């Protein structure tokens, strides 16, 4: 969450979003290893959004950050 907030406050700080994408990649891999495929797909889509945000490929950056933040907050509840 801190990386998303840092990027939202300073969009030129692409390192923060790169770190976020790297963490989401690890989450995605871990969920696949433990065979939680539905949450793994969610994490994969979140990772793709983080990469797109980092590259500046998202037209509405604030909406993208909001959606990513919502996913990060809700994913733990989804796993339960």
């Amino acid at each position: 969450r801190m990386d998303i907030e840092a990027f939202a406050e300073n969009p030129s700080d692409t390192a923060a979003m790169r770190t976020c994408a790297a963490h989401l990649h690890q989450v995605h891999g871990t969920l696949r290893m433990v065979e939680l495929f539905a949450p793994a797909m969610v994490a994969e889509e979140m990772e793709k959004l983080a990469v797109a945000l980092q590259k500046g490929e998202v037209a509405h950056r604030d909406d993208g950050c909001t959606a990513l933040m919502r996913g990060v907050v809700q994913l733990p509840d989804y796993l339960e």
Side-chain angles (χ1 to χ4, degrees):
R1 292 189 320 195
M2 293 185 312
D3 292 323
I4 299 167
E5 290 171 358
F7 179 77
E9 291 175 8
N10 184 9
S12 63
D13 183 12
T14 57
M17 193 51 65
R18 188 176 320 114
T19 301
C20 178
H23 287 268
L24 288 167
H25 183 76
Q26 291 176 353
V27 169
H28 170 239
T30 301
L31 292 171
R32 285 185 52 90
M33 281 187 349
V34 296
E35 298 182 353
L36 293 172
F37 297 113
M41 286 175 35
V42 172
E44 181 180 25
E45 291 301 317
M46 291 168 59
E47 177 187 357
K48 288 179 182 179
L49 176 56
V51 169
L53 283 164
Q54 173 197 344
K55 292 181 177 181
E57 298 172 348
V58 178
H60 301 284
R61 186 188 70 246
D62 290 340
D63 291 340
C65 287
T66 300
L68 191 56
M69 183 64 79
R70 189 177 308 125
V72 167
V73 170
Q74 291 178 351
L75 187 59
D77 293 337
Y78 185 68
L79 293 172
E80 289 179 18

Coordinates of all heavy atoms in Angstrom, one line a residue:
R1 N 0.8 -1.2 0.0 CA 0.0 0.0 0.0 C 0.9 1.2 0.0 O 0.5 2.2 -0.6 CB -0.9 0.0 1.2 CG -2.0 -1.1 1.1 CD -3.0 -1.0 2.2 NE -2.5 -0.6 3.5 CZ -3.2 -0.7 4.6 NH1 -4.4 -1.2 4.6 NH2 -2.7 -0.3 5.7
M2 N 2.0 1.2 0.7 CA 2.8 2.4 0.8 C 3.4 2.8 -0.6 O 3.5 3.9 -0.9 CB 4.0 2.1 1.8 CG 3.5 2.0 3.2 SD 4.8 1.9 4.4 CE 5.9 0.6 3.8
D3 N 3.7 1.8 -1.4 CA 4.2 2.0 -2.8 C 3.2 2.7 -3.6 O 3.4 3.6 -4.4 CB 4.8 0.8 -3.4 CG 6.0 0.2 -2.7 OD1 6.8 1.1 -2.3 OD2 6.1 -1.0 -2.6
I4 N 1.9 2.2 -3.5 CA 0.8 2.8 -4.3 C 0.6 4.2 -3.9 O 0.5 5.1 -4.7 CB -0.5 2.0 -4.1 CG1 -0.2 0.5 -4.7 CG2 -1.6 2.6 -4.9 CD1 -1.3 -0.4 -4.3
E5 N 0.6 4.5 -2.6 CA 0.4 5.8 -2.1 C 1.5 6.7 -2.5 O 1.3 7.9 -2.9 CB 0.3 5.8 -0.6 CG -1.0 5.2 0.0 CD -0.9 5.0 1.5 OE1 0.1 5.3 2.1 OE2 -2.0 4.5 2.0
A6 N 2.8 6.2 -2.5 CA 3.9 7.0 -2.9 C 3.8 7.4 -4.4 O 4.1 8.5 -4.8 CB 5.2 6.3 -2.6
F7 N 3.4 6.4 -5.2 CA 3.3 6.7 -6.6 C 2.1 7.7 -6.9 O 2.2 8.5 -7.8 CB 3.0 5.4 -7.4 CG 2.8 5.6 -8.9 CD1 3.9 5.8 -9.7 CD2 1.6 5.5 -9.4 CE1 3.8 6.0 -11.1 CE2 1.4 5.7 -10.8 CZ 2.5 5.9 -11.6
A8 N 1.0 7.5 -6.2 CA -0.1 8.4 -6.4 C 0.2 9.8 -6.0 O -0.2 10.8 -6.7 CB -1.3 7.9 -5.5
E9 N 1.0 10.0 -5.0 CA 1.5 11.4 -4.6 C 2.5 11.9 -5.5 O 2.6 13.2 -5.7 CB 2.0 11.3 -3.2 CG 0.9 11.1 -2.1 CD 1.5 11.0 -0.7 OE1 2.7 11.2 -0.5 OE2 0.7 10.6 0.2
N10 N 3.3 11.1 -6.1 CA 4.4 11.5 -7.0 C 4.5 10.6 -8.2 O 5.3 9.6 -8.1 CB 5.8 11.6 -6.2 CG 6.9 12.1 -7.0 OD1 6.7 12.6 -8.1 ND2 8.1 12.0 -6.5
P11 N 3.7 10.8 -9.2 CA 3.7 9.9 -10.4 C 5.1 9.7 -11.1 O 5.3 8.7 -11.8 CB 2.7 10.5 -11.3 CG 1.9 11.4 -10.5 CD 2.8 11.8 -9.4
S12 N 6.0 10.6 -10.9 CA 7.3 10.5 -11.5 C 8.1 9.4 -10.8 O 9.2 9.0 -11.3 CB 8.0 11.8 -11.6 OG 8.3 12.3 -10.3
D13 N 7.7 9.0 -9.6 CA 8.4 8.0 -8.8 C 8.0 6.6 -9.3 O 7.3 5.9 -8.6 CB 8.1 8.2 -7.3 CG 8.9 7.2 -6.4 OD1 9.8 6.6 -7.0 OD2 8.6 7.1 -5.3
T14 N 8.5 6.2 -10.5 CA 8.1 4.9 -11.0 C 8.7 3.8 -10.2 O 8.3 2.7 -10.3 CB 8.5 4.8 -12.5 OG1 9.9 5.0 -12.6 CG2 7.7 5.8 -13.3
A15 N 9.8 4.0 -9.5 CA 10.4 3.0 -8.7 C 9.4 2.4 -7.6 O 9.4 1.2 -7.4 CB 11.6 3.5 -8.0
A16 N 8.6 3.3 -7.1 CA 7.6 2.8 -6.1 C 6.6 1.8 -6.8 O 6.3 0.8 -6.2 CB 6.8 4.0 -5.5
M17 N 6.1 2.1 -8.0 CA 5.2 1.2 -8.7 C 5.9 0.0 -9.2 O 5.3 -1.1 -9.2 CB 4.5 2.0 -9.8 CG 3.3 1.2 -10.4 SD 2.1 0.7 -9.1 CE 1.5 2.2 -8.5
R18 N 7.2 0.1 -9.5 CA 8.0 -1.1 -9.9 C 8.1 -2.0 -8.7 O 7.9 -3.3 -8.8 CB 9.4 -0.7 -10.4 CG 10.2 -1.8 -11.0 CD 11.5 -1.3 -11.5 NE 11.5 -0.1 -12.2 CZ 12.1 1.0 -11.8 NH1 12.8 1.0 -10.7 NH2 12.0 2.2 -12.5
T19 N 8.3 -1.5 -7.5 CA 8.4 -2.3 -6.3 C 7.0 -3.0 -6.0 O 7.0 -4.1 -5.7 CB 8.8 -1.4 -5.1 OG1 10.1 -0.8 -5.4 CG2 8.9 -2.2 -3.8
C20 N 6.0 -2.2 -6.2 CA 4.6 -2.7 -6.0 C 4.4 -3.9 -6.9 O 3.9 -5.0 -6.5 CB 3.6 -1.6 -6.2 SG 1.9 -2.2 -6.1
A21 N 4.7 -3.7 -8.2 CA 4.6 -4.8 -9.2 C 5.4 -6.0 -8.8 O 4.9 -7.2 -9.0 CB 4.9 -4.3 -10.6
A22 N 6.6 -5.8 -8.3 CA 7.4 -7.0 -7.9 C 6.8 -7.7 -6.8 O 6.8 -9.0 -6.7 CB 8.8 -6.5 -7.5
H23 N 6.3 -7.0 -5.8 CA 5.6 -7.7 -4.7 C 4.4 -8.4 -5.1 O 4.1 -9.6 -4.7 CB 5.2 -6.6 -3.6 CG 6.3 -6.1 -2.9 ND1 6.8 -6.6 -1.7 CD2 7.1 -5.0 -3.1 CE1 7.8 -5.9 -1.2 NE2 8.1 -4.9 -2.1
L24 N 3.6 -7.8 -6.0 CA 2.4 -8.5 -6.5 C 2.8 -9.8 -7.3 O 2.1 -10.8 -7.3 CB 1.6 -7.6 -7.4 CG 0.8 -6.5 -6.6 CD1 0.3 -5.4 -7.5 CD2 -0.3 -7.2 -5.8
H25 N 3.9 -9.7 -8.0 CA 4.4 -10.9 -8.8 C 4.7 -12.0 -7.8 O 4.4 -13.2 -8.1 CB 5.7 -10.5 -9.6 CG 6.2 -11.6 -10.4 ND1 5.6 -12.0 -11.6 CD2 7.3 -12.4 -10.2 CE1 6.3 -13.0 -12.1 NE2 7.3 -13.3 -11.3
Q26 N 5.4 -11.7 -6.7 CA 5.6 -12.7 -5.6 C 4.4 -13.3 -5.1 O 4.2 -14.5 -4.8 CB 6.5 -12.1 -4.5 CG 7.9 -11.8 -5.0 CD 8.7 -11.1 -3.9 OE1 8.2 -10.7 -2.8 NE2 10.0 -10.9 -4.1
V27 N 3.4 -12.4 -4.8 CA 2.1 -12.9 -4.3 C 1.4 -13.8 -5.3 O 0.9 -14.9 -4.9 CB 1.2 -11.7 -4.0 CG1 -0.3 -12.2 -3.7 CG2 1.7 -10.9 -2.8
H28 N 1.4 -13.4 -6.6 CA 0.9 -14.3 -7.6 C 1.5 -15.6 -7.7 O 0.8 -16.7 -7.7 CB 1.0 -13.5 -9.0 CG 0.6 -14.4 -10.1 ND1 1.5 -14.6 -11.1 CD2 -0.5 -15.0 -10.5 CE1 1.0 -15.4 -12.0 NE2 -0.3 -15.6 -11.7
G29 N 2.8 -15.7 -7.6 CA 3.5 -16.9 -7.7 C 3.3 -17.8 -6.5 O 3.1 -19.0 -6.6
T30 N 3.2 -17.2 -5.3 CA 2.9 -18.0 -4.1 C 1.5 -18.6 -4.1 O 1.3 -19.7 -3.8 CB 3.1 -17.0 -2.8 OG1 4.4 -16.5 -2.8 CG2 2.8 -17.8 -1.6
L31 N 0.5 -17.8 -4.5 CA -0.8 -18.3 -4.6 C -1.0 -19.4 -5.6 O -1.7 -20.4 -5.4 CB -1.8 -17.1 -4.9 CG -2.0 -16.1 -3.9 CD1 -2.7 -14.9 -4.4 CD2 -2.6 -16.7 -2.6
R32 N -0.2 -19.3 -6.7 CA -0.3 -20.4 -7.7 C 0.4 -21.7 -7.1 O -0.1 -22.8 -7.3 CB 0.4 -20.0 -9.0 CG -0.4 -19.1 -9.8 CD 0.2 -18.8 -11.1 NE 0.6 -20.0 -11.9 CZ -0.2 -20.6 -12.8 NH1 -1.4 -20.1 -13.0 NH2 0.3 -21.6 -13.4
M33 N 1.5 -21.5 -6.3 CA 2.2 -22.7 -5.7 C 1.2 -23.4 -4.8 O 1.3 -24.6 -4.7 CB 3.4 -22.2 -5.0 CG 4.6 -22.0 -6.0 SD 6.2 -21.7 -5.2 CE 5.9 -21.4 -3.5
V34 N 0.4 -22.7 -4.0 CA -0.5 -23.3 -3.1 C -1.8 -23.6 -3.7 O -2.8 -24.0 -3.0 CB -0.6 -22.5 -1.8 CG1 0.7 -22.4 -1.0 CG2 -1.2 -21.1 -2.0
E35 N -1.9 -23.5 -5.0 CA -3.1 -23.9 -5.8 C -4.3 -23.1 -5.4 O -5.4 -23.6 -5.4 CB -3.3 -25.4 -5.7 CG -2.1 -26.2 -6.3 CD -2.4 -27.7 -6.3 OE1 -3.4 -28.1 -5.7 OE2 -1.5 -28.4 -6.9
L36 N -4.1 -21.8 -5.1 CA -5.3 -20.9 -5.0 C -5.4 -20.1 -6.3 O -4.9 -19.0 -6.4 CB -5.1 -20.0 -3.7 CG -5.1 -20.7 -2.4 CD1 -4.7 -19.8 -1.3 CD2 -6.4 -21.3 -2.1
F37 N -6.0 -20.7 -7.3 CA -5.9 -20.2 -8.6 C -6.8 -18.9 -8.8 O -6.3 -18.0 -9.5 CB -6.3 -21.3 -9.6 CG -5.3 -22.4 -9.6 CD1 -5.7 -23.7 -9.2 CD2 -4.0 -22.2 -10.0 CE1 -4.8 -24.7 -9.2 CE2 -3.1 -23.3 -10.0 CZ -3.5 -24.5 -9.5
A38 N -7.9 -18.8 -8.2 CA -8.8 -17.6 -8.4 C -8.1 -16.4 -7.8 O -8.0 -15.4 -8.5 CB -10.2 -17.9 -7.8
P39 N -7.6 -16.5 -6.5 CA -6.9 -15.3 -6.0 C -5.6 -15.0 -6.8 O -5.2 -13.9 -6.9 CB -6.6 -15.7 -4.6 CG -7.5 -16.8 -4.2 CD -7.8 -17.5 -5.5
A40 N -5.0 -16.1 -7.3 CA -3.8 -15.9 -8.1 C -4.1 -15.1 -9.4 O -3.3 -14.2 -9.8 CB -3.1 -17.2 -8.5
M41 N -5.2 -15.3 -10.0 CA -5.6 -14.6 -11.1 C -5.9 -13.1 -10.8 O -5.5 -12.2 -11.5 CB -6.9 -15.2 -11.8 CG -6.6 -16.5 -12.5 SD -8.0 -17.4 -13.2 CE -9.1 -16.1 -13.7
V42 N -6.4 -12.9 -9.6 CA -6.7 -11.5 -9.2 C -5.3 -10.8 -9.0 O -5.1 -9.7 -9.4 CB -7.5 -11.5 -7.9 CG1 -7.6 -10.1 -7.3 CG2 -8.9 -12.0 -8.1
A43 N -4.4 -11.5 -8.3 CA -3.1 -10.9 -8.1 C -2.4 -10.7 -9.4 O -1.7 -9.6 -9.6 CB -2.2 -11.8 -7.2
E44 N -2.5 -11.5 -10.4 CA -1.9 -11.4 -11.7 C -2.4 -10.1 -12.4 O -1.7 -9.3 -13.0 CB -2.1 -12.6 -12.6 CG -1.5 -12.5 -13.9 CD -1.8 -13.7 -14.8 OE1 -2.8 -14.4 -14.6 OE2 -1.0 -14.0 -15.7
E45 N -3.8 -9.9 -12.3 CA -4.4 -8.7 -12.9 C -3.9 -7.5 -12.2 O -3.7 -6.4 -12.9 CB -5.9 -8.8 -12.9 CG -6.4 -9.9 -13.8 CD -6.0 -9.7 -15.3 OE1 -6.1 -8.5 -15.8 OE2 -5.7 -10.6 -16.0
M46 N -3.7 -7.5 -10.9 CA -3.2 -6.4 -10.2 C -1.8 -6.1 -10.6 O -1.4 -4.9 -10.7 CB -3.3 -6.7 -8.6 CG -4.8 -6.7 -8.1 SD -4.9 -7.4 -6.5 CE -3.9 -6.2 -5.5
E47 N -1.0 -7.1 -10.8 CA 0.4 -6.9 -11.2 C 0.4 -6.2 -12.6 O 1.2 -5.3 -12.8 CB 1.1 -8.3 -11.3 CG 2.5 -8.2 -11.8 CD 3.2 -9.5 -12.0 OE1 2.6 -10.5 -11.7 OE2 4.3 -9.5 -12.5
K48 N -0.5 -6.7 -13.5 CA -0.5 -6.1 -14.8 C -0.9 -4.6 -14.7 O -0.4 -3.8 -15.5 CB -1.5 -6.9 -15.7 CG -1.0 -8.2 -16.1 CD -2.1 -8.9 -17.0 CE -1.6 -10.3 -17.3 NZ -2.7 -11.0 -18.2
L49 N -1.8 -4.3 -13.9 CA -2.2 -2.9 -13.7 C -1.1 -2.1 -13.1 O -0.8 -1.0 -13.6 CB -3.5 -2.8 -12.8 CG -3.9 -1.4 -12.4 CD1 -4.2 -0.5 -13.7 CD2 -5.1 -1.4 -11.5
A50 N -0.3 -2.6 -12.2 CA 0.8 -1.9 -11.6 C 1.9 -1.7 -12.7 O 2.4 -0.6 -12.7 CB 1.4 -2.7 -10.4
V51 N 2.1 -2.6 -13.5 CA 3.1 -2.5 -14.6 C 2.6 -1.4 -15.6 O 3.4 -0.5 -16.0 CB 3.4 -3.8 -15.3 CG1 4.2 -3.6 -16.6 CG2 4.1 -4.8 -14.4
A52 N 1.3 -1.4 -15.9 CA 0.8 -0.4 -16.8 C 0.9 1.0 -16.2 O 1.2 1.9 -16.9 CB -0.6 -0.8 -17.2
L53 N 0.6 1.1 -15.0 CA 0.7 2.4 -14.3 C 2.2 2.9 -14.3 O 2.4 4.0 -14.6 CB 0.2 2.3 -12.8 CG -1.3 2.3 -12.6 CD1 -1.6 1.8 -11.2 CD2 -1.9 3.6 -12.9
Q54 N 3.1 2.0 -14.0 CA 4.5 2.3 -14.0 C 4.9 2.8 -15.4 O 5.7 3.8 -15.5 CB 5.3 1.1 -13.7 CG 6.8 1.3 -13.8 CD 7.6 0.0 -13.8 OE1 7.1 -1.1 -13.4 NE2 8.8 0.0 -14.2
K55 N 4.4 2.2 -16.5 CA 4.8 2.6 -17.8 C 4.1 3.8 -18.4 O 4.3 4.2 -19.5 CB 4.6 1.4 -18.8 CG 5.6 0.2 -18.5 CD 5.4 -0.9 -19.4 CE 6.3 -2.0 -19.2 NZ 6.1 -3.1 -20.2
G56 N 3.1 4.3 -17.6 CA 2.3 5.4 -18.0 C 1.2 5.0 -19.1 O 0.8 5.9 -19.9
E57 N 0.8 3.8 -19.1 CA -0.1 3.3 -20.1 C -1.6 3.4 -19.6 O -2.5 2.9 -20.4 CB 0.2 1.8 -20.5 CG 1.6 1.7 -21.1 CD 2.0 0.2 -21.3 OE1 1.3 -0.7 -20.7 OE2 3.0 0.0 -21.9
V58 N -1.8 3.9 -18.5 CA -3.2 4.0 -17.9 C -3.7 5.4 -18.1 O -3.0 6.4 -17.6 CB -3.2 3.6 -16.5 CG1 -4.6 3.8 -15.9 CG2 -2.8 2.2 -16.3
A59 N -4.8 5.6 -18.8 CA -5.3 6.9 -19.2 C -5.7 7.7 -17.9 O -5.4 8.9 -17.8 CB -6.4 6.8 -20.1
H60 N -6.3 7.1 -17.0 CA -6.8 7.7 -15.8 C -6.0 7.1 -14.6 O -6.5 6.2 -13.9 CB -8.3 7.5 -15.6 CG -9.1 8.0 -16.7 ND1 -9.4 9.3 -16.9 CD2 -9.7 7.4 -17.8 CE1 -10.1 9.5 -18.0 NE2 -10.3 8.3 -18.5
R61 N -4.8 7.7 -14.4 CA -3.9 7.2 -13.4 C -4.5 7.1 -12.0 O -4.3 6.1 -11.3 CB -2.6 8.0 -13.4 CG -1.5 7.5 -12.5 CD -0.4 8.5 -12.3 NE -0.8 9.6 -11.5 CZ -0.9 10.9 -12.0 NH1 -0.6 11.1 -13.3 NH2 -1.3 11.9 -11.3
D62 N -5.2 8.1 -11.6 CA -5.8 8.2 -10.2 C -6.8 7.0 -10.1 O -6.9 6.4 -9.0 CB -6.5 9.5 -9.9 CG -5.5 10.6 -9.8 OD1 -4.3 10.3 -9.5 OD2 -5.9 11.8 -9.9
D63 N -7.6 6.8 -11.1 CA -8.6 5.7 -11.0 C -7.9 4.3 -10.9 O -8.3 3.4 -10.2 CB -9.5 5.7 -12.2 CG -10.5 6.9 -12.2 OD1 -10.7 7.4 -11.1 OD2 -11.0 7.2 -13.3
G64 N -6.8 4.2 -11.7 CA -6.0 3.0 -11.7 C -5.4 2.7 -10.3 O -5.4 1.6 -9.8
C65 N -4.8 3.8 -9.7 CA -4.3 3.7 -8.3 C -5.3 3.3 -7.3 O -5.1 2.5 -6.4 CB -3.6 5.0 -7.9 SG -2.0 5.3 -8.8
T66 N -6.5 3.9 -7.5 CA -7.6 3.6 -6.6 C -8.0 2.1 -6.7 O -8.2 1.5 -5.7 CB -8.8 4.5 -6.8 OG1 -8.4 5.9 -6.6 CG2 -10.0 4.2 -5.9
A67 N -8.1 1.7 -7.9 CA -8.5 0.3 -8.1 C -7.5 -0.7 -7.6 O -7.8 -1.7 -6.9 CB -8.7 0.0 -9.6
L68 N -6.2 -0.3 -7.8 CA -5.1 -1.2 -7.3 C -5.1 -1.2 -5.7 O -4.9 -2.2 -5.1 CB -3.8 -0.6 -7.8 CG -2.6 -1.5 -7.6 CD1 -2.8 -2.9 -8.2 CD2 -1.3 -0.9 -8.3
M69 N -5.3 0.0 -5.1 CA -5.4 0.1 -3.7 C -6.5 -0.8 -3.1 O -6.4 -1.5 -2.1 CB -5.5 1.5 -3.2 CG -5.5 1.7 -1.7 SD -3.9 1.2 -0.9 CE -2.9 2.6 -1.3
R70 N -7.7 -0.7 -3.8 CA -8.8 -1.5 -3.4 C -8.5 -2.9 -3.4 O -8.9 -3.7 -2.5 CB -10.0 -1.1 -4.2 CG -11.3 -1.7 -3.7 CD -12.6 -1.3 -4.5 NE -12.6 0.2 -4.7 CZ -12.7 0.8 -5.9 NH1 -12.7 0.1 -7.0 NH2 -12.8 2.1 -5.9
G71 N -7.9 -3.4 -4.5 CA -7.5 -4.8 -4.6 C -6.5 -5.2 -3.5 O -6.7 -6.3 -3.0
V72 N -5.6 -4.4 -3.2 CA -4.6 -4.7 -2.2 C -5.3 -4.9 -0.8 O -4.9 -5.8 0.0 CB -3.4 -3.7 -2.1 CG1 -2.6 -3.8 -0.9 CG2 -2.6 -3.8 -3.4
V73 N -6.2 -4.0 -0.6 CA -6.9 -4.0 0.7 C -7.9 -5.2 0.8 O -8.0 -5.9 1.8 CB -7.7 -2.7 0.9 CG1 -8.6 -2.8 2.1 CG2 -6.7 -1.6 1.1
Q74 N -8.5 -5.6 -0.3 CA -9.5 -6.6 -0.3 C -9.0 -8.1 -0.5 O -9.6 -9.0 -0.2 CB -10.6 -6.4 -1.4 CG -11.4 -5.2 -1.0 CD -12.5 -4.8 -2.1 OE1 -12.4 -5.4 -3.2 NE2 -13.4 -3.9 -1.8
L75 N -7.8 -8.2 -1.1 CA -7.2 -9.5 -1.4 C -7.1 -10.4 -0.1 O -7.5 -11.5 -0.2 CB -5.9 -9.4 -2.1 CG -5.3 -10.7 -2.6 CD1 -6.3 -11.4 -3.6 CD2 -4.0 -10.5 -3.3
P76 N -6.6 -9.9 1.0 CA -6.5 -10.7 2.2 C -7.9 -11.2 2.6 O -8.0 -12.4 3.0 CB -5.9 -9.8 3.3 CG -5.2 -8.8 2.5 CD -6.0 -8.6 1.2
D77 N -8.9 -10.4 2.5 CA -10.3 -10.9 2.9 C -10.7 -11.9 1.9 O -11.4 -12.9 2.3 CB -11.3 -9.7 2.9 CG -11.0 -8.7 4.0 OD1 -10.3 -9.1 5.0 OD2 -11.4 -7.5 3.8
Y78 N -10.4 -11.8 0.7 CA -10.8 -12.8 -0.4 C -10.1 -14.1 -0.1 O -10.8 -15.2 -0.3 CB -10.3 -12.2 -1.7 CG -10.8 -13.0 -2.9 CD1 -12.1 -13.1 -3.3 CD2 -9.8 -13.7 -3.7 CE1 -12.5 -13.9 -4.4 CE2 -10.2 -14.5 -4.8 CZ -11.5 -14.5 -5.1 OH -11.9 -15.3 -6.2
L79 N -8.9 -14.1 0.5 CA -8.3 -15.4 0.8 C -8.9 -16.1 1.9 O -8.8 -17.3 2.0 CB -6.8 -15.1 1.1 CG -6.0 -14.6 -0.1 CD1 -4.6 -14.2 0.4 CD2 -5.9 -15.7 -1.2
E80 N -9.5 -15.4 2.8 CA -10.2 -16.0 4.0 C -11.4 -16.7 3.5 O -11.9 -17.7 3.9 CB -10.5 -15.0 5.0 CG -9.2 -14.6 5.7 CD -9.5 -13.5 6.8 OE1 -10.7 -13.4 7.2 OE2 -8.6 -12.8 7.2

